[in-house]
C-alpha cells in the first residue's frame, strides 16, 4: 500500500513534530534548474552537477545546505503544477529510506497554481513508492511511513492534498488487483473484494450476480467464455447515487474482467500468456473510479458493469465455430476463443444500454493490435461520438495518462459478417485489430454516445518511470475520474 500523505497547513516546517525514534524528518525543497544557488543556499552547484543533479523534473538528491541536510527536488526552469506528479514520485523514491518526509515544494508555485500542484504532488508521493510484495518472504524495506506536505494555508489546498492522496491510494489498490495472480484473484475473489471496498463507502451500492442469475439474464457471451473454466463467473454491478436531487448526468462504465486469459482453445503461446493475469485491468480501473466518486464527483449518477470470468480450455470449453447469443439477442460465431473480451463486453454493454444512460465508457485490455499501433504507454480511444472522444482525450491529459484516438473505418465492418450468425468475433483481414474489435463492440451500444478505451498496452509496464511502477499500473482510473469530474462541474 502507498504511504500515508498528510498535510501541515500551518505553513512552516517548524510546526512539524520531529520523529522521536528517528530524529528529524528529511525536508524536501524545490530547486529550479539554473537557480540552484538561490533555491538551495549553501549547496555547491558544481558538486551537485557532478552528481548529475541539474534541477530537472524527476531529479532529487540529498545535499548539505545552510539549513542542514535537505532533499533537493528538481522543478525544471519554470515550476509547472502539471509536472508535480513526477516531482512527487521523484521525492518518494529518493526519500524512501526515510521514515518521515516533509515536503515544502508547493511553496515554489504561486498561489493560483498551488491547488493543482497539491493534488498532483500528493498523487505522485503516494504512487512513487508503490510495490507489490505480498508474495515475498522478505518484503522490500518500506521505511517511509509518513509524508507531510507543507502548504501556506488554505482549506482548498488541504482538500487538494487529501484528494491526491486518496487517488494515489485507490490507484495503488487497483495495481494490487491487477498484480494478483489469476489463480488467486478468481471472479468470486474479485467480487468479494469489490463488495468489501464498496460497502465501506457512502452513496455506493453493489450487486453480485452468480452463474444461475447470469444464465437468467441471458448473458450468453459471458457464459460462453466461462464454459471452459473450473470457476464460476460473476457479473458485478456497482451504483453511485448522486449526492443531490438533480444529478448532472447518468453515465455507465464497463470494465473487462478476464481474471486470466489463456486464450481458450485458440490457446496463446507461453510468452503470450505471461501477463494475462492482468486481463482484468479494465474491471479494476472501473472499480477504482467508482470508489473515488463520492470524493471527486459526488453529483454524478454512475452505474458500473463488470463481467468477470477467466478464459480457460476445460473439457466443455467453447469450441471454435460455436455460436453464442448475447444479452441484446445478437448471435456471435466464435472463430477465435482468444477474442473473448469482446464477448463478455457485448453482454455488459447491452445491459448498460438498457438503462438509457447519457453516455457509456468501456475500458478493456482488448487487443495486442492496439499496442502495435500506439506502443505500450498509450491507450487507444474509439468512439461513435466525436465530442465524447474529445472529452476522454482531455480527461487523459488532466489525469496524466496517454490516450490517442483510433478510427473505426467502415470497410472493416464487412470482415465481421458471419455465414451462419449475426457476427463473427474476429475479422477476416489481418490489419486494424484494435479498430475491428471496437467495430464489434459498437454493435452492442445502439445510439448511446459511447467511447471504448483499449488499455492492452498501458495497463502493464515493463519498467518503472515517473509515478509508474513495473507491473500493473492502475491506468485508466485517473482518466475516468477526470472525465466524471469535468461532467460534474458542467452547469445545468
Ligand atoms: N487480452 C488479450 C489482449 C492483450 C494482448 C492484452 C496483449 C494485453 C497484452 C485479448 O483477449 C486477446 O487475446 N486479443 C487477441 C484478439 C485476436 C484473437 C483477434 C489479440 O490481440 O491477439
Ligand atoms: Mn484473449
Ligand atoms: Zn483477453
Amino acid at each position: 500500500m502507498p504511504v500515508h500523505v498528510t498535510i501541515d497547513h500551518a505553513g512552516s516546517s517548524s510546526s512539524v513534530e520531529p520523529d522521536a525514534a528517528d530524529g528529524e524528518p528529511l525536508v524536501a525543497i524545490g530547486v529550479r534548474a539554473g537557480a540552484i544557488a538561490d533555491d538551495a543556499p549553501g549547496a555547491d552547484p558544481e558538486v551537485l552537477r557532478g552528481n548529475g543533479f541539474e534541477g530537472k523534473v524527476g531529479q532529487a538528491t540529498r545535499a548539505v545546505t545552510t539549513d542542514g541536510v535537505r532533499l533537493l527536488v528538481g522543478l525544471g526552469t519554470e515550476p509547472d503544477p502539471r509536472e508535480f506528479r513526477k516531482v512527487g514520485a521523484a521525492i518518494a523514491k529518493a526519500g524512501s529510506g526515510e521514515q518521515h518526509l516533509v515536503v515544502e515544494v508547493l511553496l515554489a508555485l504561486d498561489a493560483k497554481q498551488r491547488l493543482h500542484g497539491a493534488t498532483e504532488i500528493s498523487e505522485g508521493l503516494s504512487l512513487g513508492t508503490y510495490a507489490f510484495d505480498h508474495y515475498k518472504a522478505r518484503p522490500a524495506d518500506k521505511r517511509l511511513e509518513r509524508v507531510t506536505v507543507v502548504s501556506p494555508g488554505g482549506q482548498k489546498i488541504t482538500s487538494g492534498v487529501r484528494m491526491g492522496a486518496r487517488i494515489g491510494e485507490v490507484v495503488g489498490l487497483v495495481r494490487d488487483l491487477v498484480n494478483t495472480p489469476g489463480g488467486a484473484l478468481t471472479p468470486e475473489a474479485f467480487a468479494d473484494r469489490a463488495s468489501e471496498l464498496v460497502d465501506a463507502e457512502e452513496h455506493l451500492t453493489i450487486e453480485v450476480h452468480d452463474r444461475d442469475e447470469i444464465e437468467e439474464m441471458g448473458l450468453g457471451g459471458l457464459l460462453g467464455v466461462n464454459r471452459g473454466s473450473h470457476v464460476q463467473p460473476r457479473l458485478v454491478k456497482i451504483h453511485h447515487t448522486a449526492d443531490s436531487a438533480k444529478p448532472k448526468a447518468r453515465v455507465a462504465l464497463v470494465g473487462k474482467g478476464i481474471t486470466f486469459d489463456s486464450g481458450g482453445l485458440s490457446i496463446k503461446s507461453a510468452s503470450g500468456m505471461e501477463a494475462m493475469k492482468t486481463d482484468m485491468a479494465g474491471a479494476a480501473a472501473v472499480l477504482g473510479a467508482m470508489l473515488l466518486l463520492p470524493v471527486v464527483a459526488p453529483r454524478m449518477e454512475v452505474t458500473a458493469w463488470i463481467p468477470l470470468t477467466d478464459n480457460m480450455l476445460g473439457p466443455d470449453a467453447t469450441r471454435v465455430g460455436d455460436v453464442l447469443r448475447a444479452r441484446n439477442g445478437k448471435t456471435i460465431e466464435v472463430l477465435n476463443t482468444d477474442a473473448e473480451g469482446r464477448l463478455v463486453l457485448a453482454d455488459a454493454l447491452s445491459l448498460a444500454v438498457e438503462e438509457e444512460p447519457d453516455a457509456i465508457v468501456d475500458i478493456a485490455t482488448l487487443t495486442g493490435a492496439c499496442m502495435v499501433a500506439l506502443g505500450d504507454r498509450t491507450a487507444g480511444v474509439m468512439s461513435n461520438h466525436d465530442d465524447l472522444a474529445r472529452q476522454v482525450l482531455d480527461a487523459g491529459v488532466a489525469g496524466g495518462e496517454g490516450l490517442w484516438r483510433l478510427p473505426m473505418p467502415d470497410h472493416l465492418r464487412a470482415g465481421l459478417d458471419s455465414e451462419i450468425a449475426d457476427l463473427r468475433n474476429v475479422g477476416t483481414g489481418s490489419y486494424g485489430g484494435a479498430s475491428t474489435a471496437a467495430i464489434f463492440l459498437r454493435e452492442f451500444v445502439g445510439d448511446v454516445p459511447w467511447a471504448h478505451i483499449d488499455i492492452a498496452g498501458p495497463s502493464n509496464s515493463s519498467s518503472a518511470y515517473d509515478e509508474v511502477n513495473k507491473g500493473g499500473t492502475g491506468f485508466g482510473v485517473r482518466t475516468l475520474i477526470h472525465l466524471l469530474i469535468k461532467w460534474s462541474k458542467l452547469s445545468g
Side-chain angles (χ1 to χ4, degrees), residues 40-41 52 119 130 164 227 259 264 277 290 294 317 320-321 329 364 397 405 436 471:
T119 317
Y130 175 86
R227 224 169 135 148
T259 53
K277 67 174 183 183
M290 294 304 287
V320 173
V397 173
R405 191 172 183 188
T436 302

Side-chain angles (χ1 to χ4, degrees), residues 256 261 279 340:
K256 171 179 172 181
D261 182 11
D279 211 16
E340 84 297 339

Side-chain angles (χ1 to χ4, degrees), residues 119 123 163-172 292 296 478 481:
T119 317
E123 258 184 59
M163 185 184 288
R166 176 68 182 147
I167 293 170
E169 185 185 15
V170 169
V171 172
L292 285 167
V296 303
R478 293 179 301 183
I481 60 164

Side-chain angles (χ1 to χ4, degrees), residues 132-184:
F132 184 69
D133 46 22
H134 182 79
Y135 291 95
K136 292 273 194 195
R138 279 197 295 149
D141 195 11
K142 272 195 221 158
R143 280 174 54 84
L144 188 57
E145 278 171 8
R146 193 148 64 102
V147 178
T148 307
V149 178
V150 177
S151 161
Q155 192 53 42
K156 266 195 158 174
I157 290 167
T158 304
S159 65
V161 169
R162 287 218 187 93
M163 185 184 288
R166 176 68 182 147
I167 293 170
E169 185 185 15
V170 169
V171 172
L173 194 145
V174 170
R175 289 177 177 179
D176 281 348
L177 286 170
V178 175
N179 288 327
T180 302

Side-chain angles (χ1 to χ4, degrees), residues 256 261 263 268 276 279 311 337-341 366:
K256 171 179 172 181
D261 182 11
K268 288 184 183 292
M276 284 303 128
D279 211 16
N311 182 26
T337 63
D338 197 12
E340 84 297 339
L366 206 60

